[in-house]
Every structure is written in structure tokens, then in C-alpha cells.
Amino acid sequence: MSYTEQEIRIAAKPLIELFGELLVWRWEEEKHVLLAEFASGKTEQVVAILNKYYADEWNRKSIKYAPNSIIQELANYAKLVKDQRAFTNSPSENKKSVVSLLWPWGHGSTLSLRLTLLETPYEYIEAPQSENLMSKVFGKVKSVFA
């Protein structure tokens, strides 16, 4: 779903204020999102703010376990690739929540942060912890001899 610049700016005002002068926001008309582009040297500060503001973080592995409502609402933005992350809070029954989408550029010196909205409340499901290679090998050996 597409949102207007005004809808996103109003909902994102508390988050935008946390960034202060660290980020400069503009409307990305083609994608209907607020956009800030910044140098990789600011990444640590930006992520620290995102971690304080959001309850949930998704990456290319964990997004597979996200509730269907998030996948459907974010559409193409839910197709995360290496180092891309989505930060979310579940919306309340009558209030949309802001989603932050962190996208490193291919050359590594610039990142984008896009803001859009979620409408449907969800329940966070933690992605299963993946075993390391040695645990998998020992598990298979153990099962062979069992």
C-alpha cells in the first residue's frame, strides 16, 4: 500500500526527531517513502537509534519467519538481501507504525534509510537459531552411530 508523504511524516515524527541533524529526509516519489541517504561512517549512530526505537529487527534470514501480514504489507521491501535490515514495531489496533528499511549500497560507502508504514498488528516470532557447521556435523555423526 502506498502512503502519502504527510501520513509518513506525521507517524515518523518522533523517530525523525531522534535523528535530529544526523539525517536529512526527502520524499522519494517513485517509492512513496521518506528517504535519508548517509555515509557509512554514521551507520553505528543510526543503528543505535533504530535499536532503541524498535522492538523487532529483520534480516535476510529472519524475514522468512516474519508474520505474513508484514511480508504482504512490505511487498518487495520484504525481500531482504545481504546486510539489508527492516526494523518494525507492531501497530496498535487503530494506529499505524513506522517501518525503517536500512539498505547499504553496493560500494559500501553509502546507506539509505527508508520509512514507510505498517497497518496490521502482528506477534513477533523469533527465528530459530541456526546451528554452526560443527554442531551439524557432530549431530549427523551421532545419529549414524545411534
Side-chain angles (χ1 to χ4, degrees):
M1 179 170 204
S2 294
Y3 298 100
T4 66
E5 179 179 4
Q6 184 177 5
E7 285 177 298
I8 296 173
R9 281 194 185 273
I10 289 169
K13 186 176 181 189
L15 178 61
I16 290 170
E17 287 175 352
L18 286 175
F19 287 114
E21 294 181 12
L22 183 64
L23 299 178
V24 176
W25 298 95
R26 69 177 175 85
W27 180 245
E28 190 176 25
E29 181 66 39
E30 180 184 316
K31 298 184 179 179
H32 299 276
V33 295
L34 277 180
L35 170 68
E37 299 167 335
F38 59 95
S40 61
K42 296 180 179 180
T43 304
E44 209 171 288
Q45 291 173 278
V46 169
V47 171
I49 292 168
L50 294 170
N51 284 331
K52 286 180 186 174
Y53 189 82
Y54 289 101
D56 305 321
E57 178 181 344
W58 311 91
N59 60 38
R60 71 183 178 99
K61 291 183 180 181
S62 64
I63 196 72
K64 294 181 262 187
Y65 302 100
N68 285 338
S69 61
I70 289 178
I71 303 297
Q72 289 171 352
E73 285 189 56
L74 292 182
N76 288 334
Y77 287 125
K79 296 174 184 165
L80 302 175
V81 296
K82 184 179 180 187
D83 297 328
Q84 293 178 338
R85 296 186 268 176
F87 296 82
T88 62
N89 288 321
S90 183
S92 62
E93 287 296 327
N94 54 4
K95 185 178 178 188
K96 297 175 183 109
S97 71
V98 178
V99 176
S100 287
L101 303 155
L102 186 64
W103 305 93
W105 292 16
H107 55 70
S109 62
T110 307
L111 292 90
S112 297
L113 187 64
R114 289 183 169 88
L115 305 180
T116 189
L117 302 175
L118 275 182
E119 285 186 35
T120 309
Y122 68 86
E123 192 170 316
Y124 181 75
I125 301 167
E126 191 159 338
Q129 296 296 317
S130 62
E131 298 179 67
N132 66 32
L133 180 59
M134 291 306 290
S135 296
K136 288 180 183 177
V137 169
F138 285 126
K140 289 196 187 268
V141 169
K142 194 176 182 179
S143 67
V144 168
F145 291 108

